[in-house]
Amino acid sequence: MKASGLMVKCLENEGIEYVFGVPGEENADFMMSLEQSDKIKFILTRHEQGAAFMAEIYGRLSGNPAVCLGTLGPGATNLITGVADANMDRAPVLVLTGQGSTARLHKESHQIMDVVDMFKPVTKWATSIYNAVTIPEVVRKAVRIARTEKPGAVHIELPEDIAKHQVSAEPLDPRRFRRSVVDDKILDQSFDLITHAKRPVIIAGNGAIRRRAAKQLRLFCEKTGIGVLSTFMAKGAVDMDADYCLYTIGLGSKDYPTLAIDEADLVITLGFDMVEYHPKLWNPHKNKPIIHADFLPAEIDEYYHPQVELVGDLAHTLWMLNQRLTTHGIPKYDLAQQAETRRLMQNELAEHANDDTSGTIRPQKMLWDIRHVMGPEDILLSDVGAHKMWIARHYHCHQPNTCLIPNGFCSMGFALPGAIAASLVAPQRRILGISGDAGFLMNVQEMETAKRLHSNLVMLIWEDHAYGLIAWKQESEFGRHTDLSFDNPDWMQLAGAFGWHGHRVEQSNQFADTLETAFKQQGPSLIVVPVDYSENMALTRRLGEMTEPCPVAS
């Protein structure tokens, strides 16, 4: 068979279901071979960046990689932002690019650039196929690396002449390995610290939302009552309604949830990833005793210097701790600050539940209504902008992977293509993407993809005619901001032009009903809401007053 056909067979063998992308001349052989597959579906996108975001969300939701595809030169460079986002958000993704003939790679030639070297900084591994016989090994290695903790992106380049070669090789069977587990003696050391602490707290990171890990974490918290602070990407690791859920950290300023860390005499981090939230923000005096539990050793940092490192499969580590609790009994902890933290946040979340405003709607009101319209298994995807901060603080989850926020590389333009992928993975769930007016227009062309695929999704735009997050940050630091404003299209005409349903809401008391209506419509729907971002600086001022730990209520 052709090498391109062998590549497809290897991808089929790995259980790959989707290839998202924009083909080019240099991967024409691969596309012809892919067309013959009855196991892999090709999704034509309108930009390679959208393809990368779709592959990322497929990987985050399923745990298995999808493929994003581009041709050489500009096709490859268009992929790179989405690939970097997937890699830093720890999503398994395969990146497949075409390349010119190997006979011209050594010299100046049309569209030729070193794509492999370009992808090395934003992937776990990047390589080119120089010999068609190696395709089975390369694909098997690529999938294993992409899936292995911490998951990420892997790039394979297939030159056009290599794709045409005849080859007799066969795919390698995938053989999974069992992750290493923590040594008993090290775990005993950590268990001793946990049992002798009086006010421990848990920080759950991206690694804690693996379903086995989340299950064991909940069992651990049910036994001990120890509170859990989730990073943006760890939402749903514990149920928002549980007494031990202390909501989300990561805003970069003191907030009610950080009060639990201030009072803690032990911090247990589970799957914590420093790309999300630097320890300097929660351990500024470098004095917090830390237990690090993750698939990999801790990153070296002066503000993150754990007493004990539990390196191994995180679910198994938590299972071992749960076994010891069963054997040795449950410690008694002082949970007063945790209860106060939870009370303060619950009051904050409900403060604007009954808002009745006209012209603009507060972020808090929209997120309160969204949480009540969305079910426990439904999926919200946040783009990057000021809305992301409000979603992180005010939207909480019952299950892992039901609020997807890019918080490693943090690329705008994520939500619309991500929502399309989510609708493919979970067509039975409600899918809501939230974007600012800036982020939405960065991949607006994928509205056509959503319509063509008959995607059942809702995109909600918070309109402020500006780069709102940058304005917020500049004003917080300098007391003013530079010119960050712009004009927008007529959103309803835009929705109609792409064949979407369109809604504009300016009355807060109509928002929930409009959202419900949009979810019930077949196909994609757009909702546009003028947002009241005067709340941004109001929140900054309020949190800025929290210079000392808040006293526990008597």
Side-chain angles (χ1 to χ4, degrees):
M1 73 178 81
K2 275 187 176 183
S4 60
L6 176 60
M7 175 73 79
V8 171
K9 293 295 182 186
C10 289
L11 294 174
E12 289 178 338
N13 208 43
E14 295 289 347
I16 302 300
E17 293 186 299
Y18 288 100
V19 175
F20 303 95
V22 181
E25 181 181 346
E26 285 72 20
N27 44 28
D29 275 279
F30 175 81
M31 290 302 300
M32 294 299 170
S33 296
L34 183 63
E35 190 179 40
Q36 304 306 310
S37 175
D38 58 1
K39 297 180 179 179
I40 302 175
K41 185 172 183 179
F42 177 71
I43 303 294
L44 182 69
T45 64
R46 301 306 303 271
H47 193 283
E48 291 88 350
Q49 186 181 115
F53 285 133
M54 291 178 200
E56 174 186 347
I57 291 305
Y58 177 93
R60 287 178 67 169
L61 289 174
S62 71
N64 294 310
V67 175
C68 56
L69 175 139
T71 189
L72 81 173
T77 58
N78 282 348
L79 281 169
I80 200 164
T81 296
V83 171
D85 198 79
N87 196 56
M88 204 169 280
D89 282 0
R90 317 309 185 195
V93 168
L94 296 184
V95 187
L96 184 59
T97 60
Q99 184 55 282
S101 169
T102 56
R104 62 188 182 100
L105 298 184
H106 64 287
K107 57 187 177 183
E108 291 187 8
S109 188
H110 181 66
Q111 289 192 310
I112 294 296
M113 60 177 291
D114 192 335
V115 174
V116 172
D117 269 5
M118 183 182 72
F119 272 98
K120 283 180 178 177
V122 298
T123 58
K124 295 179 71 177
W125 183 52
T127 192
S128 186
I129 305 289
Y130 296 110
N131 188 325
V133 175
T134 66
I135 288 174
E137 290 183 349
V138 169
V139 173
R140 179 80 280 273
K141 179 177 178 178
V143 173
R144 171 170 282 199
I145 290 174
R147 287 172 50 95
T148 299
E149 294 287 347
K150 298 177 180 179
V154 173
H155 169 241
I156 302 173
E157 176 182 83
L158 182 62
E160 59 181 338
D161 58 326
I162 301 296
K164 297 177 184 296
H165 285 186
Q166 292 295 316
V167 63
S168 58
E170 294 293 330
L172 286 176
D173 288 337
R175 294 179 182 173
R176 310 299 186 204
F177 64 90
R178 191 174 180 85
R179 296 190 190 102
S180 301
V181 298
V182 174
D183 177 78
D184 276 309
K185 290 183 180 180
I186 299 296
L187 196 100
D188 285 340
Q189 291 179 25
S190 68
F191 188 73
D192 187 62
L193 290 172
I194 292 169
T195 55
H196 285 91
K198 297 300 181 185
R199 297 178 305 280
V201 71
I202 293 169
I203 298 178
N206 191 18
I209 59 169
R210 312 297 184 261
R211 289 205 176 268
R212 287 175 52 247
K215 178 181 177 181
Q216 291 297 327
L217 171 58
R218 293 178 185 214
L219 290 173
F220 181 78
C221 295
E222 291 289 344
K223 292 174 184 285
T224 64
I226 298 175
V228 177
L229 298 155
S230 298
T231 64
F232 290 13
M233 290 197 289
K235 284 178 173 291
V238 295
D239 192 315
M240 60 179 282
D241 291 337
D243 288 341
Y244 49 79
C245 175
L246 304 184
Y247 304 107
T248 307
I249 56 170
L251 286 184
S253 61
K254 187 175 288 294
D255 199 355
Y256 298 129
T258 61
L259 300 177
I261 303 179
D262 291 339
E263 293 296 307
D265 58 358
L266 177 67
V267 179
I268 306 165
T269 66
L270 304 176
F272 176 70
D273 199 326
M274 213 173 289
V275 301
E276 280 206 82
Y277 188 45
H278 197 281
K280 184 178 181 179
L281 296 168
W282 55 265
N283 188 25
H285 305 298
K286 312 174 194 177
N287 61 348
K288 292 295 179 186
I290 298 169
I291 295 174
H292 167 92
D294 199 4
F295 305 95
L296 297 175
E299 175 66 88
I300 301 299
D301 188 273
E302 63 178 313
Y303 295 93
Y304 191 74
H305 198 43
Q307 272 67 19
V308 181
E309 296 189 43
L310 304 177
V311 181
D313 181 78
L314 185 57
H316 192 86
T317 297
L318 288 163
W319 177 83
M320 293 171 76
L321 288 172
N322 282 325
Q323 291 296 105
R324 280 161 174 76
L325 289 170
T326 300
T327 302
H328 298 290
I330 311 300
K332 298 295 183 183
Y333 296 117
D334 176 3
L335 304 179
Q337 182 61 64
Q338 291 185 185
E340 178 67 1
T341 294
R342 187 165 169 80
R343 184 189 69 81
L344 289 168
M345 272 307 299
Q346 286 178 329
N347 290 342
E348 186 93 356
L349 296 175
E351 182 181 359
H352 295 285
N354 298 313
D355 269 9
D356 187 4
T357 61
S358 178
T360 60
I361 305 177
R362 289 186 179 94
Q364 304 96 312
K365 168 62 174 174
M366 280 189 278
L367 292 167
W368 178 269
D369 286 351
I370 289 166
R371 181 64 278 179
H372 285 80
V373 170
M374 302 278 279
E377 300 286 343
D378 294 336
I379 300 171
L380 184 150
L381 301 95
S382 171
D383 214 283
V384 175
H387 61 280
K388 171 184 161 180
M389 301 301 154
W390 287 106
I391 292 167
R393 191 170 189 266
H394 282 259
Y395 187 85
H396 302 285
C397 302
H398 299 283
Q399 297 295 332
N401 277 326
T402 54
C403 181
L404 303 178
I405 300 178
N407 204 39
F409 197 64
C410 301
S411 175
M412 296 173 72
F414 162 95
L416 172 56
I420 294 170
S423 70
L424 293 172
V425 176
Q428 74 284 5
R429 303 191 207 178
R430 289 180 166 185
I431 308 297
L432 175 66
I434 302 181
S435 291
D437 40 8
F440 185 80
L441 287 174
M442 288 189 176
N443 273 312
V444 65
Q445 68 281 345
E446 302 304 341
M447 291 181 74
E448 187 279 327
T449 308
K451 177 61 177 177
R452 175 167 28 96
L453 296 177
H454 309 291
S455 301
N456 285 320
L457 60 86
V458 176
M459 284 300 304
L460 170 62
I461 296 176
W462 290 15
E463 184 182 40
D464 70 326
H465 293 272
Y467 288 98
L469 181 59
I470 304 305
W472 187 358
K473 291 187 174 184
Q474 287 183 358
E475 191 167 348
S476 296
E477 183 172 354
F478 303 107
R480 61 183 183 84
H481 62 79
T482 58
D483 184 8
L484 296 164
S485 60
F486 48 73
D487 293 325
N488 282 320
D490 183 315
W491 296 110
M492 297 304 99
Q493 287 191 36
L494 181 71
F498 279 104
W500 283 41
H501 307 285
H503 309 269
R504 186 176 181 89
V505 186
E506 298 185 0
Q507 302 286 132
S508 63
N509 59 13
Q510 297 174 3
F511 175 72
D513 288 342
T514 302
L515 183 61
E516 187 67 49
T517 296
F519 276 127
K520 290 178 179 178
Q521 292 173 321
Q522 288 298 306
S525 294
L526 183 70
I527 302 176
V528 180
V529 176
V531 61
D532 180 4
Y533 271 156
S534 67
E535 289 296 307
N536 294 352
M537 287 306 298
L539 178 64
T540 294
R541 287 188 291 269
R542 187 161 69 255
L543 298 185
E545 295 170 358
M546 297 174 57
T547 55
E548 296 296 332
C550 184
V552 176
S554 57

